[in-house]
Amino acid sequence: MSMLADLVEVVIGVDTHTDTHTAALLDTRTGGVLARATVSADPDGYAELVALADGHSGLRAWALEGSGGYGAGLARHLADAGELVVELDRPQRPARRTGAKSDPIDAERAARDALARTRLAQPKTGSQRAALQMRLTARRAAVEASATTQRQLHAMVITAPETVRARFRGQSTRLMLTTATRLRPTTSADVDVFTSLTVLRDLARRVRYLEAEATEHEKAIRAIVRSWRPDLLQLTGVGPIVAATILTSWSHPGRCRNDAAFAMLAGAAPIPASSGKTIRYRLNRSGDRQLNRALHTIVLTRLQHDEHTRAYAERRRTQGKTDREIKRCLKRYVARDLYRRLENPPPPLDAA
């Protein structure tokens, strides 16, 4: 496989931050630094970087660290301009005691790291993917905040005065929320009773608000998925949240070079851990953990509701596989199937 140094003549490494971006231009033939610049993280700064690159002839590529975070704006600007952009994870850095650290050094290091790569990752792109990512992030925050608030409600009920605690004794979480929202504190009660009733009511109202917010996000997510890839929702175990998670990680055709790369991205590729006569594979703990969780949800659903999946699991058990190993095999299969569907979408219904 060709390295990036064989494809372009100039590589621009960019170290991205909130307010500024620092770039270093490297000549791929000599490895020398042609120019350095620090610009503001706004359209004017992006245009300044492109103008700096235009001052050096030859094919070029951009190596961005943090293209999905601090460098998202620059990545979109370069994609709209038709530039070749390479997404970098955190470049290798020397130990802090012996290694230098500065924005120009990090930008140069990003460029040199990209030069040696044979597998070039593309940044995530697309307005629909960006919209799904924002909705998923907001929904996840609402769900987590709701769960935290419910735990606080439980804890405060336990420590509340007996006259308050008696109202909740023996109730499930949902009933406790209903009871708490109906509380009517009165100032005539003791201060500890009045405070307990007020706080429990406020916590319950907060949970209801967060649940409503999460529901609204889910409705919007479903609408985007239906307009983009409705075929995913027809698969067993794939709902709007799972589909959105898959789409945000996959992003667009060609980002993952094959199904093995997609499985590695999802943390579903088996990692060899053999020794001597023992042939085995260990759990892959790398990759996109949200995507891995989505695959896990699909596998669990199919083990419960899909006859073919249950038959496969029974056959593998007779071969001596554990349930954990069977789930890993199924996640790899699901990753392969999803990749092929994503890369080769079905034709629209009106075109059939």
Side-chain angles (χ1 to χ4, degrees):
M1 301 176 66
S2 299
M3 293 191 298
L4 182 61
D6 301 325
L7 304 177
V8 298
E9 298 167 81
V10 176
V11 173
I12 306 99
V14 184
D15 184 37
T16 60
H17 294 279
T18 304
D19 300 317
T20 62
H21 295 336
T22 300
L25 282 72
L26 266 65
D27 188 326
T28 61
R29 293 163 295 184
T30 64
V33 178
L34 300 175
R36 291 189 176 92
T38 297
V39 301
S40 57
D42 55 34
D44 292 337
Y46 307 153
E48 187 178 341
L49 283 182
V50 174
L52 179 66
D54 287 338
H56 300 272
S57 61
L59 297 175
R60 65 186 182 227
W62 299 75
L64 300 189
E65 180 185 356
S67 62
Y70 294 136
L74 177 59
R76 285 193 295 268
H77 183 89
L78 295 174
D80 293 340
E83 299 280 346
L84 173 60
V85 182
V86 177
E87 181 183 37
L88 294 180
D89 49 11
R90 186 177 179 88
Q92 293 293 328
R93 288 179 168 85
R96 181 67 69 223
R97 286 187 298 175
T98 58
K101 173 72 173 73
S102 70
D103 292 347
I105 291 175
D106 286 346
E108 180 181 341
R109 189 174 289 131
R112 297 191 186 283
D113 184 50
L115 280 176
R117 295 198 175 192
T118 57
R119 298 173 178 177
L120 306 177
Q122 302 177 28
K124 299 175 183 178
T125 60
S127 58
Q128 292 170 307
R129 188 215 64 82
L132 283 178
Q133 184 66 67
M134 294 186 71
R135 288 288 186 177
L136 283 174
T137 302
R139 178 188 176 275
R140 189 179 305 121
V143 171
E144 292 174 355
S146 174
T148 299
T149 306
Q150 290 180 54
R151 289 192 292 269
Q152 292 174 342
L153 180 68
H154 273 279
M156 290 192 178
V157 165
I158 292 174
T159 59
E162 181 58 32
T163 56
V164 177
R165 186 179 181 184
R167 304 188 186 190
F168 297 91
R169 186 168 281 112
Q171 293 185 350
S172 63
T173 301
R174 305 313 302 177
L175 286 176
M176 290 176 65
L177 288 171
T178 301
T179 301
T181 55
R182 295 173 179 174
L183 294 176
R184 296 295 181 267
T186 59
T187 55
S188 59
D190 293 338
V191 63
D192 57 341
V193 174
F194 173 79
T195 301
S196 297
L197 294 174
T198 303
V199 170
L200 292 175
R201 183 191 60 186
D202 292 345
L203 288 175
R205 288 178 176 178
R206 184 188 306 171
V207 170
R208 297 296 194 196
Y209 175 82
L210 290 169
E211 289 177 342
E213 179 184 341
T215 300
E216 289 301 315
H217 287 308
E218 185 170 349
K219 289 179 181 178
I221 289 170
R222 183 187 296 273
I224 297 173
V225 172
R226 281 179 173 172
S227 65
W228 184 9
R229 291 300 300 267
D231 55 298
L232 294 182
L233 298 176
Q234 300 174 6
L235 302 177
T236 304
V238 179
I241 304 303
V242 169
T245 302
I246 294 169
L247 288 170
T248 54
S249 296
W250 169 75
S251 180
H252 58 274
R255 181 170 183 264
C256 296
R257 63 187 178 279
N258 51 36
D259 66 273
F262 183 73
M264 184 61 73
L265 173 65
I271 304 298
S274 303
S275 178
K277 296 182 180 180
T278 302
I279 307 298
R280 61 180 292 271
Y281 296 88
R282 68 172 179 83
L283 177 66
N284 188 340
R285 299 185 183 277
S286 63
D288 187 327
R289 303 317 298 173
Q290 293 298 325
L291 178 57
N292 185 277
R293 181 179 181 179
L295 297 185
H296 189 71
T297 300
I298 295 173
V299 168
L300 292 181
T301 303
R302 293 185 179 182
L303 283 172
Q304 292 179 353
H305 303 288
D306 184 71
E307 292 297 331
H308 296 290
T309 304
R310 296 169 70 176
Y312 169 84
E314 288 298 327
R315 177 167 58 85
R316 298 293 276 175
R317 287 192 188 98
T318 61
Q319 297 173 356
K321 295 289 185 182
T322 65
D323 287 349
R324 180 173 295 180
E325 291 172 332
I326 292 171
K327 290 175 184 176
R328 293 177 190 169
C329 294
L330 287 171
K331 287 166 75 171
R332 180 64 182 89
Y333 168 81
V334 170
R336 182 185 302 112
D337 179 61
L338 285 173
Y339 175 80
R340 293 173 179 174
R341 290 177 182 273
L342 291 167
E343 294 290 317
N344 303 282
L349 295 178
D350 54 0

